[in-house]
Amino acid sequence: QVQLVESGGGLVQAGGSLRLSCAASGRILPFYAMGWYRQAPGKQRELVADITSGGSTNYADSVKGRFTISRDNAKNTVYLQMNSLKPEDTAVYICNYKRVVLGTPYPQSFWGQGTQVSVSS
């Protein structure tokens, strides 16, 4: 199917920066969207940011102006640049890849293992 390899998590002080990477391989076409979700302890998984095949981006309100998502089409890799990090950004960040399912309006989702991002105050 689709394999996702994530990297870039870690521990950072508030106000610092991290960059996450997620490389997709396998049966990745046709591409629909790719992005990052996060899940903090005791909370539901939430969308952080994603980018579509047309290049449109979507961000959670809580990260707008601080995080930037980008994609390298040649490498099938998506990046999440996270600046001005806050303690409330602490969570497991999980890469998501959506692939078009021909004949239906619903893409098929694939998930990475997740990478821990911890922000200390």
Side-chain angles (χ1 to χ4, degrees), residues 64-121:
K64 284 180 180 177
R66 300 187 297 123
F67 291 10
T68 302
I69 192 167
S70 61
R71 184 170 182 261
D72 184 330
N73 293 329
K75 296 182 178 180
N76 297 311
T77 299
V78 68
Y79 304 96
L80 184 67
Q81 178 65 43
M82 304 185 293
N83 298 328
S84 302
L85 282 161
K86 304 175 180 180
E88 50 264 44
D89 294 318
T90 296
V92 175
Y93 283 68
I94 308 158
C95 181
N96 173 259
Y97 189 97
K98 291 184 174 67
R99 184 177 68 189
V100 172
V101 179
L102 297 178
T104 83
Y106 307 108
Q108 185 177 12
S109 265
F110 299 87
W111 298 93
Q113 294 295 313
T115 184
Q116 178 69 45
V117 171
S118 298
V119 184
S120 62
S121 57

Coordinates of all heavy atoms in Angstrom, one line a residue, residues 64-121:
K64 N -2.0 28.7 12.6 CA -1.9 29.7 11.5 C -0.9 30.8 11.9 O -1.0 31.3 13.0 CB -3.3 30.3 11.2 CG -4.2 29.4 10.4 CD -5.5 30.0 10.1 CE -6.5 29.1 9.3 NZ -7.8 29.7 9.1
G65 N 0.0 31.1 10.9 CA 1.0 32.1 11.2 C 2.2 31.6 11.8 O 3.2 32.3 11.9
R66 N 2.2 30.4 12.3 CA 3.3 29.8 13.0 C 3.9 28.6 12.3 O 5.1 28.4 12.3 CB 3.0 29.4 14.4 CG 2.5 30.6 15.3 CD 2.4 30.1 16.8 NE 1.4 29.1 16.9 CZ 1.6 27.9 17.5 NH1 2.8 27.6 17.9 NH2 0.6 27.0 17.7
F67 N 3.0 27.8 11.7 CA 3.4 26.6 11.0 C 3.2 26.8 9.5 O 2.3 27.5 9.0 CB 2.5 25.4 11.4 CG 2.7 24.9 12.8 CD1 3.5 25.7 13.8 CD2 2.1 23.8 13.3 CE1 3.6 25.2 15.1 CE2 2.3 23.3 14.6 CZ 3.0 24.0 15.5
T68 N 4.1 26.1 8.7 CA 4.0 26.1 7.3 C 4.2 24.7 6.7 O 5.2 24.1 7.1 CB 5.1 27.1 6.7 OG1 5.0 28.4 7.2 CG2 4.9 27.1 5.2
I69 N 3.3 24.3 5.9 CA 3.4 23.0 5.3 C 3.8 23.2 3.8 O 3.4 24.1 3.2 CB 2.0 22.2 5.4 CG1 2.3 20.8 5.0 CG2 0.9 22.9 4.5 CD1 1.1 19.9 5.3
S70 N 4.7 22.3 3.4 CA 5.1 22.3 2.0 C 5.4 20.9 1.5 O 5.4 20.0 2.3 CB 6.4 23.2 1.9 OG 7.5 22.6 2.6
R71 N 5.5 20.8 0.2 CA 5.6 19.4 -0.4 C 6.7 19.5 -1.5 O 6.7 20.4 -2.3 CB 4.3 18.9 -0.9 CG 4.3 17.5 -1.4 CD 2.9 17.0 -1.7 NE 3.0 15.6 -2.2 CZ 2.9 15.3 -3.5 NH1 2.7 16.2 -4.4 NH2 2.9 14.0 -3.8
D72 N 7.5 18.5 -1.5 CA 8.5 18.2 -2.6 C 7.9 17.1 -3.4 O 8.0 15.9 -3.0 CB 9.9 17.9 -2.0 CG 10.9 17.7 -3.1 OD1 10.6 17.4 -4.2 OD2 12.1 18.0 -2.7
N73 N 7.4 17.4 -4.6 CA 6.7 16.4 -5.4 C 7.7 15.4 -5.9 O 7.3 14.2 -6.0 CB 6.0 17.1 -6.6 CG 4.9 18.0 -6.2 OD1 4.2 17.7 -5.2 ND2 4.6 19.0 -6.9
A74 N 8.9 15.8 -6.2 CA 9.9 14.8 -6.7 C 10.3 13.8 -5.7 O 10.6 12.6 -6.0 CB 11.1 15.6 -7.2
K75 N 10.2 14.2 -4.4 CA 10.6 13.2 -3.3 C 9.4 12.7 -2.6 O 9.5 11.9 -1.7 CB 11.5 14.0 -2.3 CG 12.8 14.5 -2.9 CD 13.6 15.1 -1.8 CE 15.0 15.6 -2.3 NZ 15.8 16.3 -1.2
N76 N 8.2 13.0 -3.1 CA 7.0 12.6 -2.4 C 7.0 12.8 -0.9 O 6.7 11.9 -0.1 CB 6.7 11.1 -2.7 CG 6.5 10.9 -4.2 OD1 5.7 11.5 -4.8 ND2 7.2 9.9 -4.7
T77 N 7.5 14.0 -0.5 CA 7.8 14.3 0.9 C 7.1 15.6 1.2 O 7.0 16.5 0.5 CB 9.3 14.4 1.1 OG1 9.9 13.2 0.9 CG2 9.6 14.8 2.6
V78 N 6.5 15.6 2.4 CA 5.8 16.8 2.9 C 6.6 17.2 4.2 O 7.1 16.4 4.9 CB 4.3 16.5 3.3 CG1 4.2 15.6 4.4 CG2 3.6 17.8 3.5
Y79 N 6.7 18.5 4.3 CA 7.4 19.1 5.4 C 6.5 20.0 6.3 O 5.6 20.6 5.7 CB 8.6 20.0 4.9 CG 9.5 19.2 4.0 CD1 9.4 19.3 2.7 CD2 10.6 18.5 4.6 CE1 10.3 18.6 1.8 CE2 11.4 17.8 3.8 CZ 11.3 17.9 2.4 OH 12.2 17.2 1.6
L80 N 6.7 20.0 7.6 CA 5.9 20.9 8.4 C 7.0 21.7 9.2 O 7.6 21.2 10.1 CB 5.0 20.2 9.4 CG 4.1 21.1 10.2 CD1 3.1 21.8 9.4 CD2 3.4 20.2 11.3
Q81 N 7.1 23.0 8.8 CA 8.0 23.9 9.6 C 7.2 24.5 10.7 O 6.2 25.2 10.5 CB 8.5 25.0 8.6 CG 9.4 26.0 9.3 CD 10.7 25.4 9.8 OE1 11.3 24.6 9.1 NE2 11.1 25.8 11.1
M82 N 7.6 24.3 11.9 CA 6.9 24.8 13.1 C 7.8 25.8 13.8 O 8.8 25.5 14.3 CB 6.6 23.6 14.0 CG 5.8 22.5 13.3 SD 5.3 21.2 14.4 CE 6.9 20.5 14.9
N83 N 7.3 27.0 13.8 CA 8.0 28.1 14.5 C 7.2 28.6 15.7 O 6.0 28.3 15.8 CB 8.2 29.3 13.5 CG 9.1 28.9 12.4 OD1 10.0 28.0 12.5 ND2 8.8 29.5 11.2
S84 N 7.8 29.4 16.6 CA 7.2 29.9 17.7 C 6.4 28.9 18.5 O 5.2 29.1 18.8 CB 6.2 31.1 17.3 OG 7.0 32.1 16.6
L85 N 7.0 27.8 18.7 CA 6.3 26.7 19.4 C 5.9 27.0 20.8 O 6.6 27.7 21.5 CB 7.2 25.4 19.4 CG 7.2 24.7 18.0 CD1 8.4 23.8 17.9 CD2 6.0 23.9 17.8
K86 N 4.7 26.5 21.2 CA 4.1 26.7 22.5 C 4.0 25.4 23.2 O 3.9 24.3 22.6 CB 2.8 27.3 22.3 CG 2.7 28.6 21.5 CD 1.3 29.1 21.4 CE 1.3 30.4 20.5 NZ -0.1 30.9 20.4
P87 N 3.9 25.4 24.5 CA 3.7 24.1 25.3 C 2.5 23.4 24.8 O 2.5 22.1 24.8 CB 3.6 24.6 26.7 CG 4.5 25.8 26.8 CD 4.2 26.5 25.4
E88 N 1.5 24.1 24.4 CA 0.2 23.4 24.0 C 0.4 22.8 22.6 O -0.6 22.1 22.2 CB -0.9 24.4 23.9 CG -0.7 25.7 23.2 CD -0.2 26.9 24.1 OE1 0.6 26.6 25.0 OE2 -0.8 28.0 23.9
D89 N 1.5 22.9 21.9 CA 1.7 22.2 20.7 C 2.3 20.8 21.0 O 2.4 20.0 20.1 CB 2.8 22.9 19.8 CG 2.2 24.3 19.3 OD1 1.1 24.3 18.9 OD2 3.0 25.3 19.3
T90 N 2.6 20.5 22.2 CA 3.1 19.2 22.6 C 2.1 18.1 22.3 O 0.9 18.2 22.7 CB 3.4 19.1 24.1 OG1 4.5 20.1 24.4 CG2 3.8 17.7 24.5
A91 N 2.5 17.1 21.5 CA 1.6 16.1 21.0 C 2.5 15.1 20.2 O 3.6 15.3 19.9 CB 0.5 16.6 20.2
V92 N 1.8 14.0 19.9 CA 2.4 13.1 18.8 C 1.9 13.6 17.5 O 0.6 13.7 17.3 CB 1.9 11.6 19.1 CG1 2.4 10.7 17.9 CG2 2.5 11.1 20.4
Y93 N 2.8 13.8 16.6 CA 2.4 14.3 15.3 C 2.4 13.2 14.3 O 3.4 12.4 14.2 CB 3.4 15.4 14.8 CG 3.1 16.8 15.5 CD1 3.3 16.9 16.9 CD2 2.5 17.8 14.8 CE1 3.0 18.1 17.5 CE2 2.2 19.0 15.5 CZ 2.5 19.1 16.8 OH 2.2 20.3 17.5
I94 N 1.3 13.0 13.6 CA 1.1 11.8 12.8 C 0.9 12.2 11.3 O 0.1 13.1 11.0 CB -0.1 11.0 13.2 CG1 0.0 10.7 14.7 CG2 -0.2 9.7 12.5 CD1 -1.3 10.4 15.4
C95 N 1.7 11.7 10.4 CA 1.6 12.0 9.0 C 0.4 11.2 8.4 O 0.2 10.1 8.8 CB 2.9 11.5 8.3 SG 2.9 11.9 6.5
N96 N -0.3 11.9 7.5 CA -1.4 11.3 6.8 C -1.3 11.5 5.3 O -0.9 12.5 4.9 CB -2.7 12.0 7.3 CG -3.9 11.5 6.5 OD1 -4.4 12.2 5.6 ND2 -4.4 10.4 6.8
Y97 N -1.6 10.4 4.6 CA -1.5 10.4 3.1 C -2.9 10.0 2.6 O -3.4 8.9 3.1 CB -0.4 9.5 2.6 CG -0.2 9.6 1.1 CD1 0.9 10.4 0.7 CD2 -1.0 9.0 0.2 CE1 1.1 10.5 -0.7 CE2 -0.7 9.1 -1.1 CZ 0.3 9.9 -1.6 OH 0.6 10.0 -2.9
K98 N -3.4 10.8 1.7 CA -4.7 10.4 1.2 C -4.6 10.1 -0.3 O -4.0 10.9 -1.1 CB -5.8 11.5 1.4 CG -6.2 11.7 2.8 CD -7.3 12.8 2.9 CE -7.8 12.9 4.3 NZ -6.8 13.4 5.3
R99 N -5.1 9.0 -0.7 CA -5.0 8.6 -2.1 C -6.4 8.5 -2.7 O -7.3 8.0 -2.1 CB -4.3 7.2 -2.2 CG -4.1 6.7 -3.6 CD -3.3 5.3 -3.5 NE -4.2 4.3 -3.0 CZ -3.7 3.1 -2.6 NH1 -2.5 2.8 -2.8 NH2 -4.6 2.2 -2.2
V100 N -6.5 9.0 -3.9 CA -7.8 8.9 -4.6 C -8.2 7.5 -4.8 O -7.4 6.6 -5.2 CB -7.7 9.6 -6.0 CG1 -9.0 9.4 -6.8 CG2 -7.4 11.1 -5.8
V101 N -9.5 7.2 -4.6 CA -10.1 5.9 -4.9 C -11.0 6.1 -6.1 O -12.0 6.8 -6.0 CB -10.9 5.4 -3.7 CG1 -11.6 4.0 -4.1 CG2 -10.1 5.2 -2.5
L102 N -10.6 5.6 -7.2 CA -11.3 5.8 -8.5 C -12.8 5.3 -8.3 O -13.1 4.3 -7.8 CB -10.6 5.1 -9.6 CG -9.2 5.6 -9.9 CD1 -8.6 4.8 -11.0 CD2 -9.2 7.1 -10.3
G103 N -13.7 6.2 -8.8 CA -15.1 5.9 -8.8 C -15.8 6.3 -7.5 O -17.0 6.1 -7.4
T104 N -15.1 6.8 -6.6 CA -15.8 7.3 -5.3 C -15.2 8.7 -5.0 O -14.1 9.0 -5.4 CB -15.5 6.4 -4.1 OG1 -14.3 6.7 -3.6 CG2 -15.5 4.9 -4.5
P105 N -16.0 9.5 -4.2 CA -15.5 10.8 -3.8 C -14.7 10.8 -2.6 O -14.2 11.8 -2.1 CB -16.8 11.6 -3.6 CG -17.8 10.6 -3.2 CD -17.4 9.3 -3.9
Y106 N -14.4 9.6 -2.1 CA -13.8 9.4 -0.8 C -12.4 8.9 -0.9 O -12.2 7.8 -1.4 CB -14.6 8.5 0.2 CG -16.0 8.9 0.3 CD1 -17.0 8.2 -0.3 CD2 -16.4 10.1 1.0 CE1 -18.4 8.6 -0.3 CE2 -17.7 10.5 1.1 CZ -18.7 9.7 0.5 OH -20.0 10.1 0.5
P107 N -11.4 9.7 -0.5 CA -10.0 9.2 -0.6 C -9.7 8.1 0.5 O -10.4 8.0 1.5 CB -9.1 10.4 -0.4 CG -10.0 11.3 0.5 CD -11.4 11.0 0.1
Q108 N -8.7 7.4 0.2 CA -8.2 6.4 1.2 C -7.1 6.9 2.0 O -6.1 7.5 1.4 CB -7.8 5.1 0.4 CG -7.4 3.9 1.3 CD -7.0 2.7 0.5 OE1 -6.8 2.8 -0.7 NE2 -6.9 1.6 1.2
S109 N -7.1 6.8 3.3 CA -6.1 7.4 4.2 C -5.1 6.3 4.7 O -5.5 5.2 4.9 CB -6.8 7.9 5.5 OG -7.0 9.3 5.3
F110 N -3.9 6.8 4.8 CA -2.8 6.0 5.3 C -2.1 6.8 6.4 O -2.0 8.0 6.3 CB -1.8 5.6 4.2 CG -2.4 4.8 3.1 CD1 -3.0 5.4 2.0 CD2 -2.4 3.4 3.2 CE1 -3.6 4.6 1.0 CE2 -3.0 2.6 2.2 CZ -3.6 3.2 1.1
W111 N -1.7 6.1 7.5 CA -1.1 6.9 8.6 C 0.3 6.4 8.9 O 0.7 5.2 8.8 CB -2.0 6.6 9.8 CG -3.4 7.1 9.7 CD1 -4.5 6.4 9.3 CD2 -3.8 8.4 10.0 NE1 -5.6 7.2 9.2 CE2 -5.2 8.5 9.7 CE3 -3.2 9.6 10.4 CZ2 -6.0 9.6 9.8 CZ3 -4.0 10.8 10.6 CH2 -5.3 10.8 10.3
G112 N 1.1 7.4 9.3 CA 2.4 7.1 9.8 C 2.4 6.6 11.3 O 1.3 6.5 11.9
Q113 N 3.6 6.3 11.8 CA 3.6 5.8 13.2 C 3.5 7.0 14.2 O 3.2 6.8 15.4 CB 5.0 5.1 13.4 CG 5.1 3.8 12.6 CD 4.0 2.8 13.1 OE1 3.9 2.5 14.3 NE2 3.3 2.2 12.1
G114 N 3.9 8.2 13.8 CA 3.9 9.3 14.7 C 5.2 9.7 15.2 O 6.1 8.8 15.4
T115 N 5.4 10.9 15.5 CA 6.7 11.4 16.0 C 6.3 12.4 17.2 O 5.5 13.2 17.0 CB 7.6 12.0 15.0 OG1 8.8 12.4 15.6 CG2 7.0 13.3 14.3
Q116 N 7.0 12.3 18.3 CA 6.7 13.1 19.4 C 7.3 14.5 19.3 O 8.5 14.6 19.0 CB 7.3 12.4 20.7 CG 7.0 13.2 22.0 CD 5.6 13.3 22.4 OE1 4.9 12.3 22.4 NE2 5.1 14.4 22.8
V117 N 6.5 15.5 19.6 CA 7.0 16.8 19.7 C 6.7 17.3 21.1 O 5.5 17.3 21.5 CB 6.3 17.7 18.6 CG1 6.6 19.2 18.9 CG2 6.7 17.4 17.2
S118 N 7.7 17.7 21.8 CA 7.5 18.2 23.2 C 8.1 19.6 23.3 O 9.2 19.9 22.9 CB 8.2 17.3 24.2 OG 7.7 16.0 24.1
V119 N 7.2 20.5 23.8 CA 7.6 21.9 24.0 C 7.6 22.3 25.4 O 6.6 22.2 26.1 CB 6.7 22.8 23.2 CG1 7.2 24.3 23.3 CG2 6.6 22.4 21.7
S120 N 8.8 22.6 26.0 CA 8.9 23.0 27.4 C 8.7 24.5 27.6 O 9.0 25.3 26.7 CB 10.2 22.5 28.0 OG 11.3 23.2 27.3
S121 N 8.1 24.8 28.7 CA 7.9 26.2 29.0 C 9.1 26.9 29.7 O 10.0 26.3 30.1 CB 6.6 26.4 29.9 OG 6.8 25.6 31.1

